[in-house]
Structure formats: C-alpha cells, structure tokens
C-alpha cells in the first residue's frame, strides 16, 4: 500500500447535479474507505457520455441527488488494498460504466458482468452493495474493486482512453459477438457521433469495407477523409440507398433519432445482422424484413471486464484513438448543451487533473 492514505480519505471534489435541471456545480463528498481488494484512482480525465445528459435530468425516473455523473474514467493508481495484485501505485487505469456485480452468476464468471443476473452496479446513481450511492468520474478520485478496473496500455494517452470505457466498448462488444472482425466483409454504420466514429475506426482495423449513413451531407468529408470510411450515403437519398440493396454483411446502428428500419434491413445480405446501440423511441419493422433473407436485429449495451480489457489492448496495438475535444470541468454545462445539439467531434473529455481544484 502507498503512504497516501490521509489524502485519499479526505473530501473528494466533484461536480454534481442537485435537481432535475441537470445543471452541475461544485460539490464535496467523501469516498468510501479503501477495502482489501480496492484500487484508489486519481482521476485525470473523464469522457462525457449522453447518459450524463439524461440521468442528471431524471429522464430515467430514478435520479438520486446530489448526482456526480461520469463513467468514462481514466487516471492513475494512488493506493491499493493489501489483496490487490493486478495493479500498483502509478499504473494508468480506467473505470467504465459499472463498479460492482454479484461475481458468482454464470455471466460474472464468464467476464460478462454487465449482464449480471442480480444486476450490475453502475458507476453513478446506483445503490452499491454497502448501501452507499455510487458517484462518477466528474470528481478528483474514485475507489473501486480491482475487478472493475482496467489497465490502460503503456503509452496510450489517458485522455484518449476515457471514451473507450463506454463509447468504445459499446460498439466493440457487439462487433466481436457478431463476428464483424472478418477481413473483407462489409459494414454499414448509421450515425457519425461518439459511437459511430469509433465503429468506423474498429471496422477499418478489422479489414471491413465501411459505409457511413448520415442525414447530413456535411459529414461526408470527415467520414471519408478523417475517419477513413470507404463510402458515404445520405440516408434520405432514395437512389443511393436502393443501390446498396443486399450489399452489407453487418450494420451498427448508433442513431438515437427515430428512423425507418425496414429500409436499412433491405441493405443486408442474406443472414445479415443489424445491431442497435443507439436508443430511438421505438423500433418498427415488418416481420418480412427478417423472414426474407434470414436477417436479424439485435441490441447491445456495453461489455464485460474481459472484453473491455481486450478492447483497450486492441486500440493500443492498432493505434485507434477517439477524436476528442478536451475541456475544463468548468465548461461541463456548456459541453452538455453542445452534446444535445450534436455539436462535438466526436467526444468531450474533461481534463479533471488540471481543472478540478
């Protein structure tokens, strides 16, 4: 253990929402004491996810205030419990969307803790096993069981690692599960935001031919030149969409706005799959869109610990970096408003280390 116990056990600085306005402001609180299997992490960076818009504004109806958001956490180990063997002081680590689970069900034993039969404990706004309310990464440090911490590979920038802990694993996990890592296959990506731009990057790293679908022609240049997509289609262009009928092996759908599913299903080859990682208000399609051509539609959230570590290592090995805009924590409310307007390319990351004082 390190000798930094006194500093760790003091007040934690953060920014919290105190009501359904979702407006964040400075807030002091105390983290739990370090347990035998815990890692204490000095947070250097935290990504801003769209969940950080909705939960503080009580869109899910389960808000517990004060709420400290943030579940794309990157930082440096400042203390470890006596039973911790996987991390040491000074290691670069990350924490994602969950910080606890039963550790005993089939899913937990298989490293798929996000699907824990008793329910994964989310990184913020959730009741932990000890009865405390979890608080996220818009704060100076966090204490977490080592099982839910991830090694950030040496030399990989902490600011770039942060968005991988939610946005990255959200697209990587279903891509692996549905065997989208097959060189030469074709992938469609619907939407070009925080999730979509990483789906493009993973797709290219897997050797796929990637087509981006967007409602905005203005994103064509960035999709092709900046992110390396092979094709770009404006989804409202009926002629371009029809030309792609039965041409795609896979589609990753990151769009949260309502859109027509039958049209996109028609673009899949026989036995093709569309994976929904965005959250439109409803999914409507004709049964024949699935029956003819043996097609399927699937949903996916984030991934478990085993796959998250695999994804981080893959990104380091293949030099995959999210496109980010780094902001001070004092800018967080403006950043959230810009995120609502989709005015970010492609993920905000808070520079916690240099701005939270």
């Amino acid at each position: 253990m390190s000798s930094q116990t006194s500093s760790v056990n003091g007040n934690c600085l953060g920014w919290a929402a105190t009501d359904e306005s979702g407006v964040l402001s400075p807030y002091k609180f105390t983290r739990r004491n370090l347990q035998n299997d815990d890692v204490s992490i000095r947070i250097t960076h935290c990504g801003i996810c769209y969940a950080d818009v909705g939960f503080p504004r009580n869109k899910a109806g389960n808000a517990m205030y004060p709420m400290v958001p943030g579940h794309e956490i990157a930082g440096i180990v400042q203390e470890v419990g006596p039973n911790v063997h996987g991390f040491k002081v000074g290691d670069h680590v990350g924490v994602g969307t969950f910080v606890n689970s039963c550790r005993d069900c089939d899913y937990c034993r298989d490293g798929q803790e996000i699907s824990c039969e008793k329910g994964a404990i989310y990184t913020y706004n959730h009741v932990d096993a000890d009865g405390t309310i979890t608080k996220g990464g818009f704060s100076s440090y966090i204490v977490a069981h080592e099982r839910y911490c991830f090694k950030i590979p040496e030399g990989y920038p902490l600011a770039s690692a942060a968005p991988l802990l939610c946005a990255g694993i959200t697209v990587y996990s279903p891509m692996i599960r549905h065997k989208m890592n097959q060189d030469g296959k074709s992938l469609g990506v619907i939407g070009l935001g925080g999730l979509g731009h990483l789906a493009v990057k993973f797709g290219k790293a897997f050797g796929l031919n990637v087509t981006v679908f967007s409602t905005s022609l203005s994103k064509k240049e960035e999709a092709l030149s900046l992110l390396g997509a092979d094709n770009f289609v404006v989804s409202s262009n009926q002629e371009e969409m029809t030309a792609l009928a039965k041409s795609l092996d896979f589609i990753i759908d990151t769009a949260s706005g309502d859109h027509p599913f039958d049209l996109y299903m028609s673009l899949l080859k026989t036995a093709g799959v569309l994976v929904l990682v965005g959250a439109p208000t409803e999914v409507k399609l004709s049964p024949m869109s699935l029956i003819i051509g043996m097609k399927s539609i699937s949903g996916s959230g984030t991934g478990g610990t085993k796959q998250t570590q695999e994804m981080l290592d893959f990104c380091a090995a293949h030099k995959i970096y999210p496109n980010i805009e780094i902001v001070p924590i004092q800018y967080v409310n403006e950043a959230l408003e810009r995120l609502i307007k989709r005015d970010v390319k492609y993920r905000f990351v808070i520079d916690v280390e240099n701005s939270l004082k």
Side-chain angles (χ1 to χ4, degrees):
M1 295 176 67
S2 81
S3 59
Q4 298 178 323
T5 305
S6 60
S7 64
V8 171
N9 286 338
N11 281 336
C12 183
L13 302 177
W15 277 54
T18 57
D19 57 41
E20 292 187 2
S21 72
V23 175
L24 305 181
S25 57
Y27 168 65
K28 283 188 176 182
F29 63 102
T30 301
R31 292 286 187 188
R32 73 165 185 248
N33 291 329
L34 193 79
Q35 304 300 307
N36 289 341
D37 299 302
D38 282 346
V39 177
S40 177
I41 302 160
R42 175 171 60 84
I43 297 172
T44 62
H45 298 85
C46 189
I48 300 179
C49 173
Y50 205 86
D52 304 326
V53 173
F55 285 121
R57 301 180 188 208
N58 199 26
K59 297 301 183 183
N62 62 352
M64 293 176 279
Y65 301 109
M67 184 193 304
V68 179
H71 60 202
E72 296 182 339
I73 301 167
I76 300 170
V77 175
Q78 59 184 356
E79 187 176 1
V80 298
N83 294 344
V84 173
H85 302 292
F87 300 93
K88 65 183 185 303
V89 173
D91 282 352
H92 288 191
V93 297
V95 175
T97 61
F98 57 96
V99 290
N100 213 341
S101 64
C102 81
R103 306 174 206 161
D104 191 47
C105 69
D106 289 343
Y107 297 106
C108 284
R109 285 197 292 267
D110 193 36
Q112 300 181 59
E113 297 88 346
I114 190 63
S115 299
C116 174
E117 290 180 0
K118 295 183 179 179
I121 304 298
Y122 298 138
T123 303
Y124 69 90
N125 196 52
H126 214 132
V127 180
D128 208 344
D130 62 0
T132 60
I133 307 302
T134 56
K135 291 180 168 55
F138 293 7
S139 57
S140 55
Y141 79 96
I142 190 169
V143 176
H145 189 286
E146 70 166 328
R147 177 174 182 146
Y148 310 98
C149 301
F150 307 100
K151 282 193 173 182
I152 295 173
E154 185 176 354
Y156 197 92
L158 289 171
S160 297
L164 299 178
L165 277 306
C166 177
I169 188 60
T170 295
V171 292
Y172 182 89
S173 180
M175 292 180 84
I176 297 299
R177 184 166 63 253
H178 292 282
K179 297 179 173 58
M180 298 185 192
N181 55 344
Q182 300 179 62
D183 188 18
K185 296 284 189 176
S186 54
L187 169 71
V189 177
I190 304 174
L192 198 60
L195 298 179
H197 94 286
L198 283 170
V200 174
K201 289 174 182 272
F202 285 132
K204 293 308 298 178
F206 290 144
L208 303 177
N209 184 284
V210 179
T211 297
V212 170
F213 298 92
S214 176
T215 58
S216 175
L217 181 61
S218 64
K219 292 190 174 183
K220 180 175 182 177
E221 183 64 25
E222 60 200 62
L224 299 177
S225 300
L226 181 64
L227 301 177
D230 300 284
N231 305 294
F232 180 90
V233 174
V234 176
S235 55
S236 59
N237 187 316
Q238 190 64 43
E239 185 177 342
E240 290 185 4
M241 294 290 282
T242 302
L244 289 177
K246 301 180 181 179
S247 68
L248 302 175
D249 295 289
F250 318 106
I251 295 175
I252 292 282
D253 185 351
T254 74
S256 292
D258 291 337
H259 50 285
F261 283 86
D262 288 307
L263 178 59
Y264 284 109
M265 298 303 290
S266 73
L267 307 186
L268 290 170
K269 297 178 181 179
T270 297
V273 59
L274 181 149
V275 178
L276 186 66
V277 295
T281 56
E282 62 179 2
V283 176
K284 293 177 65 176
L285 75 164
S286 165
M288 300 310 292
S289 291
L290 304 179
I291 294 169
I292 297 176
M294 301 182 295
K295 299 170 186 179
S296 60
I297 183 169
S298 175
S300 189
T302 62
T305 55
K306 182 168 62 177
Q307 219 162 49
T308 300
Q309 188 63 61
E310 174 189 302
M311 181 244 350
L312 289 167
D313 295 339
F314 182 85
C315 287
H318 293 267
K319 295 181 169 48
I320 296 172
Y321 306 101
N323 292 52
I324 59 176
E325 179 178 337
I326 299 176
V327 298
I329 200 162
Q330 293 78 9
Y331 187 75
V332 67
N333 290 305
E334 289 85 351
L336 291 168
E337 290 300 323
R338 284 180 55 193
L339 181 56
I340 293 170
K341 299 172 184 175
R342 301 175 184 173
D343 178 24
V344 57
K345 295 178 181 177
Y346 288 93
R347 203 69 160 183
F348 285 116
V349 174
I350 300 171
D351 182 357
V352 175
E353 181 178 41
N354 293 309
S355 64
L356 181 56
K357 306 294 183 183

